[in-house]
Amino acid sequence: MTWLEQLLVLVAGVAAGGINTIVGSGTLITFPTLLAFGLPPVTANVSNTIGLVPGSVSGVIGYRRELDGQRSRLLQLGTASLLGGITGAVLLLVLPAEAFKAIVPVLIIAALILVVVQPRLAAWVKKQRGEGAPAPAHGGPILLVAVYFTGIYGGYFGAAQGVLLLGLLGVFVHEDIQRLNAVKNVLALIVNAVSAVIFIVIAEVNWQAVALIAIGSIIGGQLGARVGRKLPPNVLRAVIVVVGTIAVIRLLTS
């Protein structure tokens, strides 16, 4: 890559790291950038996933205060994300991209609908569970299965994984959305990290792209945490919907 191309990849990494921490979908910035500079699709996807891991770590650190008291929840849901991430990474290496890519816009649209109707749907789930009945700390078996399948998607491609996770967490876990966003960051980190380990061992990696995205995403992760935790719940939901809609449009027109 030329110096200008390297600078653009670095800037894309900053933007992706910030967006991933606040919402998700940062991959839709860095992945097309790498494609535009001549990397093959699978190599670009693999290098992008590895490069964004440090940014995910940065975002988790930035949201560490919101993680207090959520250890049990993270252990339950994190296990599902770990298994899903392994499955998705293996699928990326053995299946053609078209086999899974067709359903990506549908998944994102479903997640956006979940985010919009989340308060009412969460109230309905609570009512069905019974007034006064304690909600499971991890959201129950349905959420565990959904997080596992989201992990498969995240390990395979990953764009808007955060949108999917926030939509699901908001429905099944009765918690402040900022604390759920912190959980989302940890789950996305688990998926990206386990996928990255598999890719490093098996796949072809462009380490120059990885380094540039990593540096940028670390900076972006810290910036995203500062901005994201200041957003009121309704504003954060609006940001999620806007970013998710853009993600769908870009996927459908790419």
Side-chain angles (χ1 to χ4, degrees):
M1 288 185 281
T2 66
W3 282 104
L4 177 59
E5 290 172 342
Q6 292 179 49
L7 177 61
L8 291 174
V9 172
L10 179 66
V11 172
V14 174
I19 291 175
N20 278 342
T21 301
I22 299 173
V23 184
S25 301
T27 289
L28 292 173
I29 296 177
T30 45
F31 179 67
T33 301
L34 295 180
L35 288 180
F37 295 149
L39 269 68
V42 174
T43 301
N45 196 5
V46 165
S47 304
N48 176 67
T49 297
I50 298 172
L52 288 176
V53 169
S56 297
V57 174
S58 179
V60 169
I61 293 173
Y63 262 92
R64 61 189 179 279
R65 292 202 306 267
E66 286 76 10
L67 291 172
D68 287 345
Q70 301 202 75
R71 182 178 179 181
S72 175
R73 180 176 296 153
L74 291 173
L75 287 173
Q76 293 275 357
L77 298 178
T79 301
S81 288
L82 176 67
L83 296 175
I86 293 172
T87 305
V90 172
L91 287 176
L92 175 66
L93 299 175
V94 300
L95 294 178
E98 291 76 11
F100 199 81
K101 190 176 179 181
I103 200 172
V104 170
V106 178
L107 290 174
I108 299 176
I109 291 172
L112 294 179
I113 294 173
L114 281 176
V115 170
V116 171
V117 303
Q118 172 194 315
R120 293 185 179 181
L121 190 54
W124 180 83
V125 171
K126 184 177 181 180
K127 182 178 179 181
Q128 296 302 308
R129 186 179 290 124
E131 292 296 334
H138 54 74
I142 295 177
L143 178 61
L144 282 173
V145 173
V147 168
Y148 169 71
F149 280 104
T150 303
I152 294 177
Y153 168 64
Y156 191 95
F157 184 54
Q161 177 187 188
V163 176
L164 286 167
L165 286 171
L166 274 174
L168 291 168
L169 289 169
V171 170
F172 291 100
V173 180
H174 302 150
E175 186 65 88
D176 176 76
I177 192 170
Q178 292 291 358
R179 284 171 61 80
L180 294 182
N181 199 28
V183 173
K184 176 267 293 180
N185 286 335
V186 174
L187 299 182
L189 169 61
I190 291 172
V191 172
N192 291 339
V194 70
S195 301
V197 170
I198 294 173
F199 294 156
I200 289 172
V201 174
I202 299 177
E204 180 180 349
V205 180
N206 185 306
W207 289 106
Q208 183 184 37
V210 168
L212 291 169
I213 292 175
I215 294 171
S217 65
I218 290 172
I219 299 171
Q222 289 299 303
L223 294 175
R226 292 186 180 184
V227 173
R229 64 155 44 99
K230 294 179 180 178
L231 296 176
N234 288 337
V235 175
L236 182 56
R237 287 192 183 93
V239 172
I240 294 169
V241 171
V242 171
V243 173
T245 301
I246 293 173
V248 172
I249 294 173
R250 292 197 62 175
L251 285 169
L252 291 175
T253 57
S254 63

